[in-house]
Amino acid sequence: MAVAGEGRKRQESSVGHSGADSALWTDVSEVLNGERTLWRAAERLVALALPHVEQTCVDLPLTMELNVDVVSRSIVRRAHDSLTAVTVAVNSPARASARVHLRAMAEDLIFVSWLCLLDKTVATEYLKRSARVEALRTVEAQLKFLPLAYHELATPLPELELLDPTDALVQARHELANLCRAQGWGKRGPSVRNMAVAAGLLPEYEFFYFLSSKAVHANLHEIARMVWGNEHTLKISSDPFVGVHADLAVVYGVWLFDKALGALANMFRPIEQLLKKQAYSIWLAMILVGAARNGKLPLLIHPEELGRRL
């Protein structure tokens, strides 16, 4: 991986060519010998995964029930959408913002891993009750804000065709709390951290939740590293760390993508087939193993940022 600039230009590969498809190895060679190797490899991974994601998420038997199967398939799609967004963002002027997509990826990994541990009946009931609470909370937030927004814009409020959700929300929260208490989760249900503990993902929670929080919340370290200058002038810009941000988003986005698919591979044959593909292993190794062997897994903070202050 490159320091603050353009992504890694070249990277050693220890994978042999014996018996490999010539088109694949031509592509691998082009990526290895081109610029921004990590980013290009991630693009190949996204393209390779797409048909398998489609098989998992398209032309399914109709169901009226929100259950573990439907939610798990949705998380496969969300993981692919998020990694796609990362690869698009790092190739745009907004590449410093690519990291924001890691938050959904980290939470989805933890949530679906925990969900798959539950009894199917309990899981289905939890999903239905949680979904109702979240939908009603969304209606509540919308009805509180939009009248103010239309007023501020000096525009009449249109008919939103939504009823006051207050009573329904109280009832939905009560029903969800009863279910959570019955399972020993407390009335609020399990926190993301508790889900991670139950799923054996506490190290992932502590690292990736912190990493993604830095990207989506006001954070003085992130704000301060945008401020640059000399004795005469000051400049505020993401540019000095833009390559660092982009490489971090790509490497850890691929990490979370692979973890999410791995957690669901035994449920969906197309995903299992994807993970067994030689091409998948090669692109994954190029991004993760190559970075690790070079001691270049992206850092959240660099020693030179600290100077002698700590």
Side-chain angles (χ1 to χ4, degrees):
M1 273 162 287
V3 291
E6 300 296 332
R8 183 166 173 79
K9 291 189 176 183
R10 295 177 186 270
Q11 191 167 294
E12 297 294 330
S13 175
S14 61
V15 184
H17 294 252
S18 174
D21 178 79
S22 60
L24 170 61
W25 287 109
T26 297
D27 199 19
V28 168
S29 179
E30 288 178 358
V31 171
L32 280 171
N33 291 292
E35 296 188 343
R36 302 178 178 180
T37 296
L38 293 172
W39 309 358
R40 299 288 86 83
E43 290 172 345
R44 302 309 197 271
L45 196 69
V46 164
L48 179 69
L50 180 58
H52 299 266
V53 174
E54 291 289 301
Q55 291 175 49
T56 304
C57 299
V58 175
D59 294 331
L60 307 174
L62 182 64
T63 176
M64 300 303 292
E65 187 173 63
L66 187 64
N67 56 28
V68 175
D69 181 80
V70 171
V71 169
S72 297
R73 291 176 190 272
S74 299
I75 286 176
V76 168
R77 176 69 79 180
R78 278 166 58 90
H80 189 265
D81 286 351
S82 294
L83 189 58
T84 301
V86 167
T87 63
V88 171
V90 297
N91 286 292
S92 78
R95 63 177 58 100
S97 68
R99 299 169 297 153
V100 301
H101 301 289
L102 302 187
R103 181 55 173 258
M105 297 181 80
E107 291 206 13
D108 280 354
L109 167 63
I110 291 168
F111 177 66
V112 79
S113 298
W114 171 79
L115 187 66
C116 290
L117 297 174
L118 302 182
D119 171 82
K120 287 290 192 297
T121 301
V122 172
T124 298
E125 197 61 30
Y126 176 79
L127 291 171
K128 289 163 58 178
R129 296 188 190 190
S130 293
R132 179 162 174 75
V133 168
E134 290 168 10
L136 290 169
R137 288 184 63 203
T138 303
V139 172
E140 180 183 56
Q142 190 166 269
L143 290 179
K144 285 182 177 178
F145 175 74
L146 287 182
L148 299 176
Y150 277 100
H151 177 74
E152 188 170 324
L153 296 169
T155 304
L157 178 70
E159 175 56 55
L160 299 177
E161 299 183 2
L162 292 169
L163 299 176
D164 184 336
T166 303
D167 293 340
L169 182 54
V170 169
Q171 180 62 28
R173 281 175 163 157
H174 178 71
E175 292 173 358
L176 177 59
N178 285 344
L179 174 66
C180 290
R181 286 194 194 97
Q183 298 303 314
W185 300 333
K187 70 174 183 178
R188 294 180 179 274
S191 65
V192 177
R193 188 182 191 281
N194 288 341
M195 290 180 184
V197 170
L201 292 171
L202 184 59
E204 286 84 353
Y205 166 82
E206 291 181 335
F207 181 74
F208 288 110
Y209 210 74
F210 180 75
L211 180 164
S212 59
S213 293
K214 286 170 65 65
V216 300
H217 297 312
N219 182 284
L220 288 177
H221 170 231
E222 297 297 330
I223 291 171
R225 68 187 346 193
M226 297 174 65
V227 181
W228 299 84
N230 53 40
E231 58 185 73
H232 302 295
T233 61
L234 188 68
K235 179 180 181 180
I236 298 176
S237 171
S238 296
D239 289 349
F241 277 92
V242 71
V244 170
H245 295 324
D247 284 352
L248 185 148
V250 167
V251 171
Y252 293 129
V254 167
W255 183 301
L256 290 167
F257 179 73
D258 180 63
K259 288 283 188 179
L261 296 193
L264 298 172
N266 65 340
M267 293 178 63
F268 307 122
R269 180 66 174 162
I271 301 304
E272 182 182 30
Q273 292 172 333
L274 170 65
L275 300 192
K276 290 181 178 179
K277 279 183 173 286
Q278 181 187 39
Y280 183 88
S281 297
I282 290 170
W283 298 124
L284 192 70
M286 193 180 297
I287 298 164
L288 300 182
V289 179
R293 287 182 177 175
N294 288 313
K296 295 294 183 180
L297 289 176
L299 301 177
L300 304 189
I301 189 167
H302 294 254
E304 56 268 29
E305 294 183 69
L306 298 175
R308 298 189 179 184
R309 289 174 291 173
L310 295 177

